[in-house]
Amino acid sequence: MSEDIRWEVVEESALTLPDHEAIAAMLGQAFPDWSHWYVGGRDYAGMQPERRVIGWGADGVVLAHLGIRRMFVTVGGEDVLVGDTGLVAVSPSLQGTGVGRELLVRTKAVLEGLRVPYGLLGTGEDRVPFYARCGWHELEGAVGTFSAFTADGVGVTETEQGGWMVLPVEGQLEDWPDGEIMLNGQQV
């Protein structure tokens, strides 16, 4: 099936309104509990990505998506440059077919091109094994704090334990600092 997908890395400013609408439609299907966020052209619920990895179907439907934004996070008091990675989704009809793995292979190439020391993502504990099989490393017991926005636009501080993962890009895993992760803003 992945041979039927046209992969593209897109800078945020190059996306058109129909692109945003197609992304939002797929994200709403992939995250049904959050589908109220992804309406019209609203295709992100936190920090707007700067780059997106998108897998398009022949009919113009988005089949896979991931957003990345470079930012500094504070880990144990030390600032660390990361490629914050989020909005990771594969169309429900293609989950389990290898498309997600292909999405993450392409993502690593984008992170390498951005020359960041690490990719960083927060995920649910049930998805940690998938990312680990794709080269990401769970930060055991890590606690992360970030600003989240409600559907009404009100900012709230969220703290989550577990599910924080890094992908060494130009940095080494053993150089990742110990301590709480402070995103000092929103997640992608």
Side-chain angles (χ1 to χ4, degrees):
M1 181 64 190
S2 61
E3 61 273 356
D4 297 334
I5 296 176
R6 177 178 56 87
W7 292 97
E8 182 177 37
V9 176
V10 185
E11 292 184 2
E12 189 68 14
S13 60
L15 292 168
T16 65
L17 178 57
D19 294 337
H20 286 289
E21 291 169 340
I23 294 165
M26 193 278 291
L27 291 174
Q29 292 173 7
F31 303 113
D33 291 346
W34 297 93
S35 62
H36 61 283
W37 280 94
Y38 305 114
V39 293
R42 184 177 179 175
D43 59 1
Y44 57 94
M47 187 178 298
Q48 191 171 14
E50 71 176 278
R51 298 265 195 316
R52 297 184 191 237
V53 181
I54 305 172
W56 296 92
D59 54 2
V61 172
V62 173
L63 302 174
H65 176 273
L66 183 143
I68 301 169
R69 182 167 200 85
R70 285 173 284 198
M71 63 186 283
F72 281 94
V73 297
T74 305
V75 183
E78 181 179 334
D79 286 340
V80 180
L81 177 63
V82 299
D84 186 37
T85 303
L87 298 169
V88 184
V90 172
S91 176
S93 65
L94 293 176
Q95 292 175 5
T97 66
V99 172
R101 180 175 295 279
E102 179 67 21
L103 176 64
L104 292 178
V105 166
R106 292 172 182 276
T107 297
K108 184 173 184 189
V110 173
L111 291 167
E112 289 169 347
L114 292 173
R115 302 190 56 129
V116 293
Y118 305 97
L120 174 70
L121 81 93
T123 190
E125 289 288 336
D126 60 327
R127 290 179 292 283
V128 166
F130 167 74
Y131 288 107
R133 287 190 303 274
C134 294
W136 292 75
H137 300 271
E138 182 177 17
L139 299 169
E140 294 288 336
V143 174
T145 301
F146 56 94
S147 295
F149 283 86
T150 68
D152 298 322
V154 179
V156 294
T157 299
E158 295 280 337
T159 299
E160 294 182 359
Q161 183 165 352
W164 293 99
M165 304 192 78
V166 295
L167 178 69
V169 180
E170 290 197 347
Q172 301 296 316
L173 184 60
E174 57 270 12
D175 293 333
W176 181 266
D178 290 328
E180 185 173 349
I181 303 165
M182 301 293 293
L183 274 77
N184 303 315
Q186 301 171 337
Q187 290 183 286
V188 168

